[in-house]
């Protein structure tokens, strides 16, 4: 496939996406949520306090081959967004590590992502408070926050992702500080991918962290959240992966070969140097 063929395919996809977005009854055009609006009316603000994003990719009903193709493209998109945030931060005199903690920057980047891989659908926010919260008996919190239906393993996967930060939130217990989670939760269905970008905040003034991260015990839960829903078309992502697959393989093969050459050249130089030392010693 030539570069021109690939460019033509991508431009056609952009045009088709714009047509679908204009005609769709559920989609909301990106320009209805501009840069100045993201985060203004949200419940959760500030930077994420977790050391890494809670990423969850779940196959709800897609074939394994399609799931692999679609998840590969979605991961490439997320990496592109991360790189764009880092580059924009450095250009503004902000350290990349600091910028990548900015939850609104991530949301804005997804909303404004210029390539036609997914569409912004809607945003929702609310609070979830309960005096006698128990993880094993109150799993509806995942349904309420994410609002992604018919994914059997969703609750377990999200809980596992959150449990990884159990040690990080311990220092917040008994204080008035909020602990901010940030997650990207993707579900892969027969014909589409639904994913939510989630900002979730916990007030741990009266919450027992050990109970919160276990299946036993009861504690008070005081939380709020904002979520942004996006949808992607499976057929397009599969087609995109097939178009870019060989080119990516060639690219990575070239980079790997360059690394191998450098590595073994270094080994060879070291080998020669060691032999030279022996001869110099006589």
């Amino acid at each position: 496939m030539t570069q021109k063929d690939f460019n033509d395919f991508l431009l056609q996809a952009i045009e088709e996406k714009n047509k679908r977005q204009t005609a769709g009854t559920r989609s909301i055009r990106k320009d209805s949520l501009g840069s100045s609006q993201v985060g203004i009316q949200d419940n959760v603000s500030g930077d994420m306090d977790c050391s890494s994003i809670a990423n969850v990719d779940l196959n709800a009903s897609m074939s394994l081959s399609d799931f692999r193709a679609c998840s590969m493209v979605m991961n490439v998109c997320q990496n592109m967004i991360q790189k764009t945030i880092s580059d924009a931060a450095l250009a503004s005199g902000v350290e990349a590590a600091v910028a990548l903690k900015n939850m609104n920057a991530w949301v804005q980047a997804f909303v404004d992502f210029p390539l036609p891989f997914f569409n912004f659908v809607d945003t929702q926010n609310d609070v979830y408070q309960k005096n006698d919260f128990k993880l094993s008996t109150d799993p509806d919190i995942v349904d309420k926050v994410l609002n992604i239906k018919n994914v059997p393993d969703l609750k377990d996967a999200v809980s596992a992702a959150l449990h990884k930060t159990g040690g990080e939130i311990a220092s917040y217990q008994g204080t008035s500080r909020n602990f901010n989670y940030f997650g990207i939760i993707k579900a892969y269905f027969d014909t589409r991918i639904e994913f939510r970008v989630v900002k979730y905040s916990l007030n741990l003034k009266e919450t027992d962290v050990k109970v919160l991260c276990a299946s036993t015990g009861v504690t008070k839960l005081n939380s709020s959240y904002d979520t942004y829903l996006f949808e992607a078309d499976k057929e397009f992502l599969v087609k995109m992966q097939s178009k870019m697959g060989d080119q990516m393989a060639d690219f990575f093969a070239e980079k790997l070969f360059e690394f191998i050459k450098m590595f073994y050249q270094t080994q060879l130089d070291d080998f020669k140097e060691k032999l030279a030392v022996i001869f110099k010693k006589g």
Side-chain angles (χ1 to χ4, degrees):
M1 181 185 210
T2 66
Q3 186 65 47
K4 182 180 183 303
D5 291 336
F6 184 79
N7 292 344
D8 290 343
F9 169 78
L10 194 56
L11 289 173
Q12 181 181 355
I14 293 173
E15 292 178 0
E16 291 176 355
K17 176 190 177 182
N18 290 335
K19 291 177 182 177
R20 288 198 305 271
Q21 199 171 33
T22 302
T25 56
R26 191 181 176 201
S27 293
I28 301 174
R29 291 190 61 82
K30 288 182 180 179
D31 54 17
S32 68
L33 190 66
S35 299
S36 61
Q37 293 175 290
V38 167
I40 284 184
Q41 297 181 337
D42 285 359
N43 289 326
V44 182
S45 60
D47 295 340
M48 65 180 84
D49 296 303
C50 45
S51 58
S52 59
I53 294 173
N55 279 300
V56 175
D57 286 81
L58 284 175
N59 187 3
S61 53
M62 194 176 283
S63 70
L64 183 58
S65 60
D66 287 347
F67 170 70
R68 287 173 175 168
C70 291
S71 60
M72 188 274 280
V73 176
M74 293 302 298
N75 287 331
V76 169
C77 289
Q78 187 168 326
N79 290 336
M80 289 174 64
I81 286 173
Q82 178 175 322
K83 182 66 165 58
T84 303
I85 292 173
S86 298
D87 290 347
L90 292 174
S92 303
V94 178
E95 291 184 14
V98 174
L100 291 173
K101 291 284 187 179
N102 188 316
M103 296 185 291
N104 283 345
W106 278 94
V107 172
Q108 190 68 60
F110 273 102
V111 170
D112 288 338
F113 192 66
L115 298 180
F117 297 104
F118 48 80
N119 290 314
F120 167 63
V121 178
D122 63 37
T123 181
Q124 65 180 36
N125 54 66
D126 207 342
V127 298
Y128 189 98
Q129 299 177 342
K130 194 168 185 178
N131 290 327
D132 56 348
F133 177 80
K134 186 176 182 181
L135 184 62
S136 60
T137 57
D138 294 302
D140 61 302
I141 184 173
V142 176
D143 288 334
K144 181 175 175 60
V145 173
L146 297 181
N147 194 23
I148 299 177
K149 308 299 184 185
N150 302 316
V151 185
D153 299 325
L154 182 60
K155 296 171 186 175
D156 291 339
V158 171
S159 296
L162 295 181
H163 285 178
K164 292 180 180 178
T165 61
E168 296 178 315
I169 67 175
S171 62
Y172 284 66
Q173 182 170 307
T175 72
S176 298
R177 295 181 299 166
N178 285 0
F179 187 89
N180 291 335
Y181 285 103
F182 186 77
I184 302 172
I185 316 299
K186 308 184 197 77
Y188 296 77
F189 297 94
D190 286 337
T191 60
R192 73 191 190 286
I193 298 92
E194 286 187 21
F195 69 97
R196 282 199 181 270
V197 176
V198 181
K199 300 189 297 181
Y200 186 78
S201 184
L202 276 170
N203 185 289
L204 299 169
K205 181 71 173 178
E206 302 177 65
T207 299
D208 187 332
V209 172
K210 291 183 179 179
V211 172
L212 187 65
C213 296
S215 58
T216 58
V218 174
T219 189
K220 182 175 182 178
L221 181 65
N222 181 4
S223 65
S224 56
Y225 61 88
D226 306 287
T227 71
Y228 292 77
L229 176 64
F230 299 83
E231 283 188 357
D233 179 74
K234 182 201 79 171
E235 183 179 352
F236 172 72
L237 292 189
V238 170
K239 195 177 296 184
M240 175 59 69
Q241 193 276 334
S242 68
K243 299 280 187 183
M244 62 193 284
D246 291 340
Q247 294 187 56
M248 286 187 65
D250 291 341
F251 173 80
F252 288 126
E254 180 182 348
K255 295 300 179 183
L256 180 60
F257 185 60
E258 289 176 3
F259 171 79
I260 291 172
K261 286 196 299 182
M262 291 176 60
F263 176 79
Y264 281 106
Q265 184 61 53
T266 302
Q267 296 295 306
L268 181 58
D269 292 342
D270 289 344
F271 176 63
K272 291 178 179 178
E273 186 176 336
K274 288 177 181 177
L275 289 177
V277 170
I278 293 174
F279 290 123
K280 288 177 181 178
K281 289 181 177 180

